[in-house]
Amino acid sequence: MAQATVADGADFQTDAAVSSALRTLDFELGGVTALKQAMGGALGASFAAAVALLQSLSGRAIVSGMGKSGHVGQKIAATLSSTGTPAFFVHPGEASHGDLGMITPEDAVIALSWSGETVELTNLITYARRFAVPIIAITSRGESSLAKAAHHALILPQATEACPHGLAPTTSSLMQLAIGDALAIALLEGKGFTAHDFKVFHPGGQLGANLKHVGDFMHTGARLPLTTPDTPMSEALVLMTEKSFGCLGVVETDGKLIGILTDGDLRRKMGDGLLEATVSDVMTRGPKTIGPDELASAALNMLNTSKITALFVVEDGRPVGIVHIHDLLRLGVA
């Protein structure tokens, strides 16, 4: 009889772990699918009313929840804030010790509780009702205390937790997170919140770099590698080497960009007569360009799609700058 090896044990553990992960994903997919289906009924009507309420606020969205619902609530508050709906998280325990003063009648409360009976939310809900602060409940029980106290109750469908004991919030947490994301995106779209608006709240990291405008980091003035169509190639090669972008923009007498001379053009036209030719004989007409108000992410996409390394930045057909793939690397975009 063959004996099991260490490798066999490792394979078994790997198979068991993957099988467990697949079961978890199946349960959680089932929860999100049920949530999507519920949007076609009463949940959809309540959701639309909640969006309308949040759109009309002159104050902020106050998100609260306990335990895992609280962790999800913090993420929802952060997503709302970053997409144009001012929001912050108030811990229900701290609310009873002074943080209720952070909530004003111009605000609205978004309270998360899967059971709808979270004791720690009681004082916050009582305070909100006392001062006519609207409440949006996110819960799975329509007959719960929280749902009955709310102006709009988003009743999520019952779901089986991925936890085999049915104890650890897993599927339910994902469904809360999904409905929170849905609220944020519906509000973003309703307000016409743009990528340029998004940039204001995300100046750091790769996301912030992607949201910079091309005009913020393009090379300008004397750095621009420009020449004219009748320039001898012997002079153009010296200028291209001096400017070090691997290309020259070709402009007419009116200053408009009509072509580009690249390292690739030189390789394609390499021969005995290259130095006697003029730029117009070698250049590529109709180069790819971008505007100074476009985002860095758009520049990167154009460079990658066109398989080029530099883009001229133009206004009214005239070059005002140039960006190179190395600029995007330095920014952290690429």
Side-chain angles (χ1 to χ4, degrees):
M1 180 180 294
Q3 293 185 345
T5 66
V6 173
D8 292 333
D11 288 342
F12 175 79
Q13 289 178 348
T14 299
D15 291 343
V18 171
S19 295
S20 174
L22 290 172
R23 284 194 301 273
T24 297
L25 293 172
D26 279 339
F27 280 121
E28 298 197 338
L29 178 60
V32 174
T33 300
L35 183 60
K36 180 180 177 181
Q37 292 171 345
M39 273 290 177
L43 176 58
S46 297
F47 180 86
V51 170
L53 170 62
L54 293 170
Q55 280 182 323
S56 67
L57 284 184
S58 57
R60 302 142 305 173
I62 312 300
V63 187
S64 190
M66 194 69 190
K68 302 301 184 292
S69 293
H71 293 307
V72 172
Q74 291 182 58
K75 193 275 181 184
I76 291 174
T79 302
L80 287 169
S81 294
S82 69
T83 53
T85 302
F88 62 86
F89 180 81
V90 172
H91 191 284
E94 296 296 336
S96 300
H97 294 275
D99 283 1
L100 287 174
M102 302 168 72
I103 306 172
T104 74
E106 288 74 36
D107 301 330
V109 169
I110 302 175
L112 291 87
S113 170
W114 189 253
S115 69
E117 302 294 347
T118 302
V119 174
E120 291 85 353
L121 282 170
T122 302
N123 288 337
L124 189 152
I125 298 304
T126 300
Y127 177 89
R129 287 173 63 85
R130 177 184 175 188
F131 291 100
V133 178
I135 300 168
I136 297 169
I138 298 179
T139 180
S140 68
R141 293 179 55 200
E143 297 303 312
S144 64
S145 301
L146 175 59
K148 290 179 179 179
H151 292 71
H152 304 296
L154 306 186
I155 309 301
L156 310 188
Q158 293 290 330
T160 303
E161 301 289 10
C163 168
H165 309 297
L167 298 175
T170 44
T171 308
S172 58
S173 295
L174 182 62
M175 292 168 69
Q176 289 177 320
L177 183 62
I179 199 73
D181 285 344
L183 280 172
I185 299 305
L187 288 163
L188 175 154
E189 292 175 344
K191 294 177 179 181
F193 192 80
T194 67
H196 296 288
D197 299 319
F198 204 71
K199 176 191 173 187
V200 176
F201 303 130
H202 297 80
Q206 185 177 24
L207 184 56
N210 272 284
L211 293 170
K212 284 185 179 295
H213 292 130
V214 169
D216 296 334
F217 60 91
M218 67 184 183
H219 302 275
T220 61
R223 289 284 289 133
L224 276 177
L226 299 176
T227 190
T228 58
D230 58 355
T231 301
M233 283 300 300
S234 56
E235 296 179 18
L237 287 171
V238 174
L239 182 60
M240 185 184 293
T241 302
E242 176 188 322
K243 297 295 184 178
S244 70
F245 285 102
C247 66
L248 290 177
V250 186
V251 294
E252 284 283 21
T253 54
D254 60 1
K256 293 197 173 181
L257 186 73
I258 61 166
I260 188 170
L261 180 67
T262 68
D263 290 334
D265 293 321
L266 297 180
R267 288 192 296 272
R268 285 187 289 272
K269 298 295 179 69
M270 189 66 69
D272 293 339
L274 178 63
L275 296 181
E276 286 70 42
T278 63
V279 167
S280 63
D281 297 324
V282 183
M283 72 179 189
T284 297
R285 293 186 176 274
K288 300 286 185 181
T289 63
I290 196 168
D293 293 329
E294 293 289 334
L295 298 178
S297 56
L300 177 62
N301 182 62
M302 191 176 293
L303 289 169
N304 286 334
T305 302
S306 303
K307 298 180 180 179
I308 55 179
T309 59
L311 274 174
F312 278 96
V313 186
V314 301
E315 284 186 315
D316 297 325
R318 294 176 174 81
V320 294
I322 187 172
V323 294
H324 194 275
I325 188 67
H326 291 162
D327 300 318
L328 297 169
L329 288 169
R330 280 190 290 270
L331 280 174
V333 177

